[in-house]
Amino acid sequence: MRVSELVATSGVPLATVKYYLREGLLMPGKPTSATQSTYGDEHVERLALIKALAGAGLSIDRIGTVLRLIEHPKASLFETLGRAIAELPPYDVDVPDYPRAKAALEKLGQVYDPRFVAVAQLERALRAAEEVGIAMTDERLEVYGRHIRGIADYDLSLMPDSVEAAVEYAVIGTAVYEPVITALRRLAHHDIASALERPEQ
Amino acid sequence: MRVSELVATSGVPLATVKYYLREGLLMPGKPTSATQSTYGDEHVERLALIKALAGAGLSIDRIGTVLRLIEHPKASLFETLGRAIAELPPYDVDVPDYPRAKAALEKLGQVYDPRFVAVAQLERALRAAEEVGIAMTDERLEVYGRHIRGIADYDLSLMPDSVEAAVEYAVIGTAVYEPVITALRRLAHHDIASALERPEQ
């Protein structure tokens, strides 16, 4: 397809497509003349991926890092996934130590790598809960841990086999489904609270 | 306690305490002279609550709205909770219609109010998932819905009886535990991926 069709199909404006081409985020099309190139499905898919990552709050630099990890994964899938997920927000997480996260993860019996930003993220969130008087308890950790494990098991059961596709699935699945999960929890609260208020029904 | 002690106990700087007093977010202390007042535990608790709400990204105006709802709840707990939770981010959610959210909530058999911002939030998240090729399926919705329901049931089972305390618990619990849940999901993915990579163990 011509670039005008790529713009129409992807919904990404021409100036943005050109910018992604210049930045190397979008692979070049196949030249058909000195000034024109032709594009394929892989360009449409790449633009959807860039759009999703940008929508999840990633800067152009971070999107580039994720795309390079998809194109050139590290030897270990585990490491590649960890690095790619670390490019997703939140970033302003800086904790000198992570005693609460460590205790929680050990109670859950999980393997973890403290360099993985989600550990610091968990530490900060657990500290905030403590400060406002709703500290994590063993019971809440057991309930949350069990249900989140159920969700994560399902997520991983659908992970594609190829490393490239797996990294893409993991990054996009994390970025795109976190707001689904938080919205569903708010709506479940709402539904349960409404039933509490109308016990006669 | 004197204001200096309130500052030390709460960890909120004096200038900020004075600002909250001026804005009416913090109730005045009991005057002990023309220029001095004395403060109690309710001030320490209020400052922790303001800190938590500010930490969750709420503006001063929105914090004021939440505090007024806690102090003067509406006739219905359901409505009060809905209004208070609506003050939490994200805000930039504007959808003309919500076909995906409607279908999902009906499949889950949940009561919902389309004016509740989480409906729009869910619509936007489901649309984003669709655009990147990981659209919500019936199976994923069933798995996610069941586990999120388990978490929400637990949350609500601990909700205090008084309306004031219930609103505070719901707002803070939503704001503070969403990052706990998303961090735990990332860490569960990491743990499961690490086990996949070392099948011999």
Side-chain angles (χ1 to χ4, degrees), chain B residues 3 6-8 10-27 39 43 46-52 54-55 58 60 63 67:
Chain B
V3 72
L6 180 62
V7 166
S10 65
V12 176
L14 180 60
T16 310
V17 169
K18 286 185 174 171
Y19 174 60
Y20 292 160
L21 283 166
R22 276 200 308 276
E23 293 292 319
L25 301 186
L26 185 64
M27 45 287 200
Y39 300 88
H43 294 90
R46 175 56 65 95
L47 285 174
L49 177 55
I50 297 172
K51 214 166 137 183
L58 273 73
I60 291 296
I63 293 172
L67 295 177

PDB file of all heavy atoms in Angstrom, chain B residues 3 6-8 10-27 39 43 46-52 54-55 58 60 63 67:
ATOM      1  N   VAL B   3       1.280  22.998  67.082  1.00  0.00           N
ATOM      2  CA  VAL B   3       1.400  22.794  65.639  1.00  0.00           C
ATOM      3  C   VAL B   3       2.761  22.197  65.270  1.00  0.00           C
ATOM      4  O   VAL B   3       2.866  21.396  64.330  1.00  0.00           O
ATOM      5  CB  VAL B   3       1.075  24.103  64.856  1.00  0.00           C
ATOM      6  CG1 VAL B   3       2.184  25.126  65.006  1.00  0.00           C
ATOM      7  CG2 VAL B   3       0.781  23.794  63.392  1.00  0.00           C
ATOM      8  N   LEU B   6       2.453  18.607  65.605  1.00  0.00           N
ATOM      9  CA  LEU B   6       1.622  18.076  64.515  1.00  0.00           C
ATOM     10  C   LEU B   6       2.473  17.891  63.250  1.00  0.00           C
ATOM     11  O   LEU B   6       2.371  16.874  62.550  1.00  0.00           O
ATOM     12  CB  LEU B   6       0.445  19.023  64.239  1.00  0.00           C
ATOM     13  CG  LEU B   6      -0.529  18.623  63.120  1.00  0.00           C
ATOM     14  CD1 LEU B   6      -1.232  17.313  63.429  1.00  0.00           C
ATOM     15  CD2 LEU B   6      -1.556  19.734  62.868  1.00  0.00           C
ATOM     16  N   VAL B   7       3.335  18.871  62.990  1.00  0.00           N
ATOM     17  CA  VAL B   7       4.247  18.800  61.846  1.00  0.00           C
ATOM     18  C   VAL B   7       5.184  17.601  61.991  1.00  0.00           C
ATOM     19  O   VAL B   7       5.365  16.812  61.053  1.00  0.00           O
ATOM     20  CB  VAL B   7       5.050  20.125  61.716  1.00  0.00           C
ATOM     21  CG1 VAL B   7       6.240  19.972  60.780  1.00  0.00           C
ATOM     22  CG2 VAL B   7       4.127  21.251  61.252  1.00  0.00           C
ATOM     23  N   ALA B   8       5.746  17.446  63.199  1.00  0.00           N
ATOM     24  CA  ALA B   8       6.693  16.349  63.431  1.00  0.00           C
ATOM     25  C   ALA B   8       5.996  14.990  63.313  1.00  0.00           C
ATOM     26  O   ALA B   8       6.515  14.067  62.683  1.00  0.00           O
ATOM     27  CB  ALA B   8       7.345  16.499  64.808  1.00  0.00           C
ATOM     28  N   SER B  10       3.086  14.208  61.771  1.00  0.00           N
ATOM     29  CA  SER B  10       2.481  13.900  60.469  1.00  0.00           C
ATOM     30  C   SER B  10       3.505  13.845  59.344  1.00  0.00           C
ATOM     31  O   SER B  10       3.250  13.248  58.305  1.00  0.00           O
ATOM     32  CB  SER B  10       1.431  14.958  60.127  1.00  0.00           C
ATOM     33  OG  SER B  10       2.062  16.218  59.947  1.00  0.00           O
ATOM     34  N   GLY B  11       4.645  14.522  59.557  1.00  0.00           N
ATOM     35  CA  GLY B  11       5.620  14.609  58.472  1.00  0.00           C
ATOM     36  C   GLY B  11       5.197  15.579  57.384  1.00  0.00           C
ATOM     37  O   GLY B  11       5.798  15.622  56.309  1.00  0.00           O
ATOM     38  N   VAL B  12       4.164  16.368  57.649  1.00  0.00           N
ATOM     39  CA  VAL B  12       3.719  17.374  56.676  1.00  0.00           C
ATOM     40  C   VAL B  12       4.337  18.716  57.074  1.00  0.00           C
ATOM     41  O   VAL B  12       4.191  19.147  58.216  1.00  0.00           O
ATOM     42  CB  VAL B  12       2.171  17.467  56.653  1.00  0.00           C
ATOM     43  CG1 VAL B  12       1.704  18.568  55.711  1.00  0.00           C
ATOM     44  CG2 VAL B  12       1.554  16.129  56.270  1.00  0.00           C
ATOM     45  N   PRO B  13       5.032  19.394  56.150  1.00  0.00           N
ATOM     46  CA  PRO B  13       5.698  20.655  56.494  1.00  0.00           C
ATOM     47  C   PRO B  13       4.713  21.720  57.012  1.00  0.00           C
ATOM     48  O   PRO B  13       3.548  21.730  56.612  1.00  0.00           O
ATOM     49  CB  PRO B  13       6.318  21.111  55.170  1.00  0.00           C
ATOM     50  CG  PRO B  13       6.360  19.896  54.303  1.00  0.00           C
ATOM     51  CD  PRO B  13       5.236  19.011  54.753  1.00  0.00           C
ATOM     52  N   LEU B  14       5.219  22.624  57.857  1.00  0.00           N
ATOM     53  CA  LEU B  14       4.382  23.669  58.469  1.00  0.00           C
ATOM     54  C   LEU B  14       3.637  24.496  57.421  1.00  0.00           C
ATOM     55  O   LEU B  14       2.437  24.768  57.552  1.00  0.00           O
ATOM     56  CB  LEU B  14       5.245  24.584  59.355  1.00  0.00           C
ATOM     57  CG  LEU B  14       4.489  25.721  60.060  1.00  0.00           C
ATOM     58  CD1 LEU B  14       3.398  25.167  60.980  1.00  0.00           C
ATOM     59  CD2 LEU B  14       5.455  26.598  60.865  1.00  0.00           C
ATOM     60  N   ALA B  15       4.345  24.902  56.364  1.00  0.00           N
ATOM     61  CA  ALA B  15       3.706  25.742  55.339  1.00  0.00           C
ATOM     62  C   ALA B  15       2.526  25.006  54.709  1.00  0.00           C
ATOM     63  O   ALA B  15       1.485  25.600  54.404  1.00  0.00           O
ATOM     64  CB  ALA B  15       4.718  26.129  54.267  1.00  0.00           C
ATOM     65  N   THR B  16       2.684  23.695  54.532  1.00  0.00           N
ATOM     66  CA  THR B  16       1.610  22.886  53.936  1.00  0.00           C
ATOM     67  C   THR B  16       0.435  22.750  54.902  1.00  0.00           C
ATOM     68  O   THR B  16      -0.730  22.846  54.502  1.00  0.00           O
ATOM     69  CB  THR B  16       2.163  21.500  53.535  1.00  0.00           C
ATOM     70  OG1 THR B  16       3.350  21.694  52.767  1.00  0.00           O
ATOM     71  CG2 THR B  16       1.159  20.709  52.717  1.00  0.00           C
ATOM     72  N   VAL B  17       0.754  22.534  56.182  1.00  0.00           N
ATOM     73  CA  VAL B  17      -0.306  22.456  57.206  1.00  0.00           C
ATOM     74  C   VAL B  17      -1.117  23.759  57.193  1.00  0.00           C
ATOM     75  O   VAL B  17      -2.354  23.738  57.184  1.00  0.00           O
ATOM     76  CB  VAL B  17       0.295  22.204  58.609  1.00  0.00           C
ATOM     77  CG1 VAL B  17      -0.762  22.389  59.694  1.00  0.00           C
ATOM     78  CG2 VAL B  17       0.889  20.797  58.680  1.00  0.00           C
ATOM     79  N   LYS B  18      -0.419  24.892  57.155  1.00  0.00           N
ATOM     80  CA  LYS B  18      -1.104  26.198  57.142  1.00  0.00           C
ATOM     81  C   LYS B  18      -1.967  26.357  55.895  1.00  0.00           C
ATOM     82  O   LYS B  18      -3.075  26.895  55.947  1.00  0.00           O
ATOM     83  CB  LYS B  18      -0.079  27.337  57.213  1.00  0.00           C
ATOM     84  CG  LYS B  18       0.543  27.488  58.593  1.00  0.00           C
ATOM     85  CD  LYS B  18       1.453  28.709  58.648  1.00  0.00           C
ATOM     86  CE  LYS B  18       1.969  28.945  60.062  1.00  0.00           C
ATOM     87  NZ  LYS B  18       3.014  30.001  60.077  1.00  0.00           N
ATOM     88  N   TYR B  19      -1.436  25.874  54.777  1.00  0.00           N
ATOM     89  CA  TYR B  19      -2.185  25.936  53.517  1.00  0.00           C
ATOM     90  C   TYR B  19      -3.466  25.112  53.616  1.00  0.00           C
ATOM     91  O   TYR B  19      -4.547  25.565  53.236  1.00  0.00           O
ATOM     92  CB  TYR B  19      -1.280  25.444  52.380  1.00  0.00           C
ATOM     93  CG  TYR B  19      -1.943  25.305  51.042  1.00  0.00           C
ATOM     94  CD1 TYR B  19      -2.522  26.407  50.408  1.00  0.00           C
ATOM     95  CD2 TYR B  19      -2.000  24.068  50.398  1.00  0.00           C
ATOM     96  CE1 TYR B  19      -3.134  26.279  49.173  1.00  0.00           C
ATOM     97  CE2 TYR B  19      -2.604  23.932  49.156  1.00  0.00           C
ATOM     98  CZ  TYR B  19      -3.171  25.033  48.554  1.00  0.00           C
ATOM     99  OH  TYR B  19      -3.773  24.900  47.333  1.00  0.00           O
ATOM    100  N   TYR B  20      -3.370  23.897  54.144  1.00  0.00           N
ATOM    101  CA  TYR B  20      -4.556  23.037  54.300  1.00  0.00           C
ATOM    102  C   TYR B  20      -5.569  23.682  55.249  1.00  0.00           C
ATOM    103  O   TYR B  20      -6.781  23.553  55.051  1.00  0.00           O
ATOM    104  CB  TYR B  20      -4.162  21.652  54.823  1.00  0.00           C
ATOM    105  CG  TYR B  20      -3.359  20.805  53.849  1.00  0.00           C
ATOM    106  CD1 TYR B  20      -2.585  19.739  54.306  1.00  0.00           C
ATOM    107  CD2 TYR B  20      -3.381  21.051  52.474  1.00  0.00           C
ATOM    108  CE1 TYR B  20      -1.855  18.946  53.428  1.00  0.00           C
ATOM    109  CE2 TYR B  20      -2.652  20.265  51.599  1.00  0.00           C
ATOM    110  CZ  TYR B  20      -1.884  19.217  52.074  1.00  0.00           C
ATOM    111  OH  TYR B  20      -1.164  18.426  51.214  1.00  0.00           O
ATOM    112  N   LEU B  21      -5.082  24.350  56.291  1.00  0.00           N
ATOM    113  CA  LEU B  21      -5.981  25.049  57.226  1.00  0.00           C
ATOM    114  C   LEU B  21      -6.722  26.161  56.486  1.00  0.00           C
ATOM    115  O   LEU B  21      -7.944  26.299  56.608  1.00  0.00           O
ATOM    116  CB  LEU B  21      -5.184  25.644  58.400  1.00  0.00           C
ATOM    117  CG  LEU B  21      -4.739  24.650  59.490  1.00  0.00           C
ATOM    118  CD1 LEU B  21      -3.681  25.286  60.395  1.00  0.00           C
ATOM    119  CD2 LEU B  21      -5.933  24.174  60.319  1.00  0.00           C
ATOM    120  N   ARG B  22      -5.982  26.949  55.711  1.00  0.00           N
ATOM    121  CA  ARG B  22      -6.591  28.064  54.959  1.00  0.00           C
ATOM    122  C   ARG B  22      -7.622  27.559  53.955  1.00  0.00           C
ATOM    123  O   ARG B  22      -8.670  28.161  53.772  1.00  0.00           O
ATOM    124  CB  ARG B  22      -5.513  28.837  54.172  1.00  0.00           C
ATOM    125  CG  ARG B  22      -4.775  29.881  54.956  1.00  0.00           C
ATOM    126  CD  ARG B  22      -4.097  30.901  54.019  1.00  0.00           C
ATOM    127  NE  ARG B  22      -3.274  30.301  52.977  1.00  0.00           N
ATOM    128  CZ  ARG B  22      -2.011  29.921  53.125  1.00  0.00           C
ATOM    129  NH1 ARG B  22      -1.400  30.058  54.295  1.00  0.00           N
ATOM    130  NH2 ARG B  22      -1.347  29.403  52.119  1.00  0.00           N
ATOM    131  N   GLU B  23      -7.302  26.419  53.301  1.00  0.00           N
ATOM    132  CA  GLU B  23      -8.205  25.879  52.279  1.00  0.00           C
ATOM    133  C   GLU B  23      -9.381  25.121  52.897  1.00  0.00           C
ATOM    134  O   GLU B  23     -10.246  24.630  52.165  1.00  0.00           O
ATOM    135  CB  GLU B  23      -7.432  24.931  51.346  1.00  0.00           C
ATOM    136  CG  GLU B  23      -6.394  25.624  50.494  1.00  0.00           C
ATOM    137  CD  GLU B  23      -7.011  26.543  49.439  1.00  0.00           C
ATOM    138  OE1 GLU B  23      -8.021  26.147  48.833  1.00  0.00           O
ATOM    139  OE2 GLU B  23      -6.505  27.671  49.254  1.00  0.00           O
ATOM    140  N   GLY B  24      -9.349  24.961  54.203  1.00  0.00           N
ATOM    141  CA  GLY B  24     -10.445  24.249  54.877  1.00  0.00           C
ATOM    142  C   GLY B  24     -10.355  22.734  54.765  1.00  0.00           C
ATOM    143  O   GLY B  24     -11.318  22.032  55.088  1.00  0.00           O
ATOM    144  N   LEU B  25      -9.232  22.208  54.296  1.00  0.00           N
ATOM    145  CA  LEU B  25      -9.080  20.747  54.212  1.00  0.00           C
ATOM    146  C   LEU B  25      -8.795  20.168  55.599  1.00  0.00           C
ATOM    147  O   LEU B  25      -9.209  19.058  55.913  1.00  0.00           O
ATOM    148  CB  LEU B  25      -7.941  20.359  53.262  1.00  0.00           C
ATOM    149  CG  LEU B  25      -8.044  20.830  51.816  1.00  0.00           C
ATOM    150  CD1 LEU B  25      -6.920  20.228  50.992  1.00  0.00           C
ATOM    151  CD2 LEU B  25      -9.389  20.454  51.210  1.00  0.00           C
ATOM    152  N   LEU B  26      -8.080  20.953  56.407  1.00  0.00           N
ATOM    153  CA  LEU B  26      -7.775  20.544  57.780  1.00  0.00           C
ATOM    154  C   LEU B  26      -8.634  21.402  58.698  1.00  0.00           C
ATOM    155  O   LEU B  26      -8.673  22.629  58.542  1.00  0.00           O
ATOM    156  CB  LEU B  26      -6.286  20.775  58.048  1.00  0.00           C
ATOM    157  CG  LEU B  26      -5.741  20.297  59.399  1.00  0.00           C
ATOM    158  CD1 LEU B  26      -5.849  18.777  59.519  1.00  0.00           C
ATOM    159  CD2 LEU B  26      -4.299  20.731  59.568  1.00  0.00           C
ATOM    160  N   MET B  27      -9.339  20.742  59.631  1.00  0.00           N
ATOM    161  CA  MET B  27     -10.197  21.506  60.534  1.00  0.00           C
ATOM    162  C   MET B  27      -9.324  22.311  61.497  1.00  0.00           C
ATOM    163  O   MET B  27      -8.237  21.877  61.853  1.00  0.00           O
ATOM    164  CB  MET B  27     -11.170  20.585  61.292  1.00  0.00           C
ATOM    165  CG  MET B  27     -10.567  19.327  61.866  1.00  0.00           C
ATOM    166  SD  MET B  27     -10.186  18.088  60.538  1.00  0.00           S
ATOM    167  CE  MET B  27     -10.074  16.571  61.510  1.00  0.00           C
ATOM    168  N   TYR B  39      -3.848  20.830  68.719  1.00  0.00           N
ATOM    169  CA  TYR B  39      -4.347  19.856  67.744  1.00  0.00           C
ATOM    170  C   TYR B  39      -4.396  18.458  68.346  1.00  0.00           C
ATOM    171  O   TYR B  39      -3.677  18.164  69.307  1.00  0.00           O
ATOM    172  CB  TYR B  39      -3.456  19.878  66.503  1.00  0.00           C
ATOM    173  CG  TYR B  39      -3.432  21.241  65.843  1.00  0.00           C
ATOM    174  CD1 TYR B  39      -2.512  22.215  66.248  1.00  0.00           C
ATOM    175  CD2 TYR B  39      -4.362  21.566  64.861  1.00  0.00           C
ATOM    176  CE1 TYR B  39      -2.519  23.481  65.667  1.00  0.00           C
ATOM    177  CE2 TYR B  39      -4.371  22.828  64.283  1.00  0.00           C
ATOM    178  CZ  TYR B  39      -3.455  23.773  64.691  1.00  0.00           C
ATOM    179  OH  TYR B  39      -3.475  25.016  64.131  1.00  0.00           O
ATOM    180  N   HIS B  43      -6.487  15.495  63.764  1.00  0.00           N
ATOM    181  CA  HIS B  43      -5.701  16.291  62.809  1.00  0.00           C
ATOM    182  C   HIS B  43      -4.603  15.444  62.159  1.00  0.00           C
ATOM    183  O   HIS B  43      -4.319  15.579  60.972  1.00  0.00           O
ATOM    184  CB  HIS B  43      -5.102  17.516  63.504  1.00  0.00           C
ATOM    185  CG  HIS B  43      -6.138  18.499  63.961  1.00  0.00           C
ATOM    186  ND1 HIS B  43      -6.720  18.434  65.217  1.00  0.00           N
ATOM    187  CD2 HIS B  43      -6.736  19.538  63.325  1.00  0.00           C
ATOM    188  CE1 HIS B  43      -7.617  19.411  65.318  1.00  0.00           C
ATOM    189  NE2 HIS B  43      -7.661  20.085  64.184  1.00  0.00           N
ATOM    190  N   ARG B  46      -6.394  13.240  59.681  1.00  0.00           N
ATOM    191  CA  ARG B  46      -6.821  14.009  58.504  1.00  0.00           C
ATOM    192  C   ARG B  46      -5.632  14.290  57.577  1.00  0.00           C
ATOM    193  O   ARG B  46      -5.727  14.180  56.362  1.00  0.00           O
ATOM    194  CB  ARG B  46      -7.501  15.300  58.953  1.00  0.00           C
ATOM    195  CG  ARG B  46      -7.896  16.275  57.843  1.00  0.00           C
ATOM    196  CD  ARG B  46      -8.792  15.669  56.782  1.00  0.00           C
ATOM    197  NE  ARG B  46     -10.105  15.260  57.236  1.00  0.00           N
ATOM    198  CZ  ARG B  46     -11.211  16.009  57.155  1.00  0.00           C
ATOM    199  NH1 ARG B  46     -11.163  17.191  56.608  1.00  0.00           N
ATOM    200  NH2 ARG B  46     -12.360  15.542  57.596  1.00  0.00           N
ATOM    201  N   LEU B  47      -4.478  14.635  58.187  1.00  0.00           N
ATOM    202  CA  LEU B  47      -3.290  14.901  57.357  1.00  0.00           C
ATOM    203  C   LEU B  47      -2.841  13.641  56.614  1.00  0.00           C
ATOM    204  O   LEU B  47      -2.441  13.714  55.444  1.00  0.00           O
ATOM    205  CB  LEU B  47      -2.155  15.469  58.215  1.00  0.00           C
ATOM    206  CG  LEU B  47      -2.339  16.930  58.638  1.00  0.00           C
ATOM    207  CD1 LEU B  47      -1.220  17.352  59.607  1.00  0.00           C
ATOM    208  CD2 LEU B  47      -2.338  17.871  57.418  1.00  0.00           C
ATOM    209  N   ALA B  48      -2.926  12.484  57.267  1.00  0.00           N
ATOM    210  CA  ALA B  48      -2.557  11.227  56.592  1.00  0.00           C
ATOM    211  C   ALA B  48      -3.496  10.969  55.418  1.00  0.00           C
ATOM    212  O   ALA B  48      -3.067  10.534  54.336  1.00  0.00           O
ATOM    213  CB  ALA B  48      -2.608  10.057  57.574  1.00  0.00           C
ATOM    214  N   LEU B  49      -4.776  11.283  55.615  1.00  0.00           N
ATOM    215  CA  LEU B  49      -5.763  11.088  54.551  1.00  0.00           C
ATOM    216  C   LEU B  49      -5.494  12.039  53.372  1.00  0.00           C
ATOM    217  O   LEU B  49      -5.487  11.617  52.201  1.00  0.00           O
ATOM    218  CB  LEU B  49      -7.168  11.324  55.129  1.00  0.00           C
ATOM    219  CG  LEU B  49      -8.366  11.237  54.194  1.00  0.00           C
ATOM    220  CD1 LEU B  49      -8.405   9.906  53.466  1.00  0.00           C
ATOM    221  CD2 LEU B  49      -9.672  11.440  54.983  1.00  0.00           C
ATOM    222  N   ILE B  50      -5.234  13.295  53.681  1.00  0.00           N
ATOM    223  CA  ILE B  50      -4.929  14.268  52.613  1.00  0.00           C
ATOM    224  C   ILE B  50      -3.675  13.831  51.851  1.00  0.00           C
ATOM    225  O   ILE B  50      -3.627  13.869  50.620  1.00  0.00           O
ATOM    226  CB  ILE B  50      -4.736  15.691  53.202  1.00  0.00           C
ATOM    227  CG1 ILE B  50      -6.040  16.179  53.847  1.00  0.00           C
ATOM    228  CG2 ILE B  50      -4.261  16.664  52.127  1.00  0.00           C
ATOM    229  CD1 ILE B  50      -5.895  17.495  54.614  1.00  0.00           C
ATOM    230  N   LYS B  51      -2.675  13.387  52.602  1.00  0.00           N
ATOM    231  CA  LYS B  51      -1.412  12.936  52.005  1.00  0.00           C
ATOM    232  C   LYS B  51      -1.666  11.763  51.053  1.00  0.00           C
ATOM    233  O   LYS B  51      -1.130  11.708  49.940  1.00  0.00           O
ATOM    234  CB  LYS B  51      -0.486  12.481  53.143  1.00  0.00           C
ATOM    235  CG  LYS B  51       0.988  12.725  52.927  1.00  0.00           C
ATOM    236  CD  LYS B  51       1.694  12.537  54.262  1.00  0.00           C
ATOM    237  CE  LYS B  51       2.967  11.752  54.121  1.00  0.00           C
ATOM    238  NZ  LYS B  51       3.600  11.508  55.454  1.00  0.00           N
ATOM    239  N   ALA B  52      -2.493  10.842  51.500  1.00  0.00           N
ATOM    240  CA  ALA B  52      -2.797   9.663  50.666  1.00  0.00           C
ATOM    241  C   ALA B  52      -3.525  10.081  49.399  1.00  0.00           C
ATOM    242  O   ALA B  52      -3.220   9.590  48.300  1.00  0.00           O
ATOM    243  CB  ALA B  52      -3.640   8.670  51.454  1.00  0.00           C
ATOM    244  N   ALA B  54      -3.478  13.069  47.967  1.00  0.00           N
ATOM    245  CA  ALA B  54      -2.539  13.815  47.116  1.00  0.00           C
ATOM    246  C   ALA B  54      -1.581  12.836  46.430  1.00  0.00           C
ATOM    247  O   ALA B  54      -1.279  12.980  45.240  1.00  0.00           O
ATOM    248  CB  ALA B  54      -1.781  14.846  47.944  1.00  0.00           C
ATOM    249  N   GLY B  55      -1.158  11.834  47.162  1.00  0.00           N
ATOM    250  CA  GLY B  55      -0.256  10.819  46.610  1.00  0.00           C
ATOM    251  C   GLY B  55      -0.906  10.025  45.484  1.00  0.00           C
ATOM    252  O   GLY B  55      -0.237   9.517  44.598  1.00  0.00           O
ATOM    253  N   LEU B  58      -4.680  13.336  43.360  1.00  0.00           N
ATOM    254  CA  LEU B  58      -5.824  14.253  43.415  1.00  0.00           C
ATOM    255  C   LEU B  58      -5.367  15.691  43.630  1.00  0.00           C
ATOM    256  O   LEU B  58      -4.463  15.953  44.418  1.00  0.00           O
ATOM    257  CB  LEU B  58      -6.772  13.869  44.564  1.00  0.00           C
ATOM    258  CG  LEU B  58      -7.835  12.829  44.230  1.00  0.00           C
ATOM    259  CD1 LEU B  58      -7.202  11.457  44.092  1.00  0.00           C
ATOM    260  CD2 LEU B  58      -8.935  12.799  45.288  1.00  0.00           C
ATOM    261  N   ILE B  60      -6.015  19.627  44.944  1.00  0.00           N
ATOM    262  CA  ILE B  60      -6.567  20.172  46.194  1.00  0.00           C
ATOM    263  C   ILE B  60      -8.089  20.271  46.103  1.00  0.00           C
ATOM    264  O   ILE B  60      -8.801  19.933  47.059  1.00  0.00           O
ATOM    265  CB  ILE B  60      -5.928  21.555  46.483  1.00  0.00           C
ATOM    266  CG1 ILE B  60      -4.452  21.386  46.849  1.00  0.00           C
ATOM    267  CG2 ILE B  60      -6.674  22.295  47.594  1.00  0.00           C
ATOM    268  CD1 ILE B  60      -4.193  20.611  48.131  1.00  0.00           C
ATOM    269  N   ILE B  63      -9.540  16.799  46.454  1.00  0.00           N
ATOM    270  CA  ILE B  63      -9.405  16.331  47.842  1.00  0.00           C
ATOM    271  C   ILE B  63     -10.513  16.961  48.684  1.00  0.00           C
ATOM    272  O   ILE B  63     -11.158  16.300  49.498  1.00  0.00           O
ATOM    273  CB  ILE B  63      -7.998  16.672  48.410  1.00  0.00           C
ATOM    274  CG1 ILE B  63      -6.926  15.861  47.679  1.00  0.00           C
ATOM    275  CG2 ILE B  63      -7.942  16.412  49.912  1.00  0.00           C
ATOM    276  CD1 ILE B  63      -5.488  16.244  48.027  1.00  0.00           C
ATOM    277  N   LEU B  67     -13.360  15.059  50.907  1.00  0.00           N
ATOM    278  CA  LEU B  67     -13.501  15.315  52.348  1.00  0.00           C
ATOM    279  C   LEU B  67     -14.915  15.774  52.683  1.00  0.00           C
ATOM    280  O   LEU B  67     -15.488  15.381  53.701  1.00  0.00           O
ATOM    281  CB  LEU B  67     -12.469  16.354  52.808  1.00  0.00           C
ATOM    282  CG  LEU B  67     -11.003  15.903  52.694  1.00  0.00           C
ATOM    283  CD1 LEU B  67     -10.061  17.035  53.103  1.00  0.00           C
ATOM    284  CD2 LEU B  67     -10.728  14.665  53.540  1.00  0.00           C
TER     285      LEU B  67
END
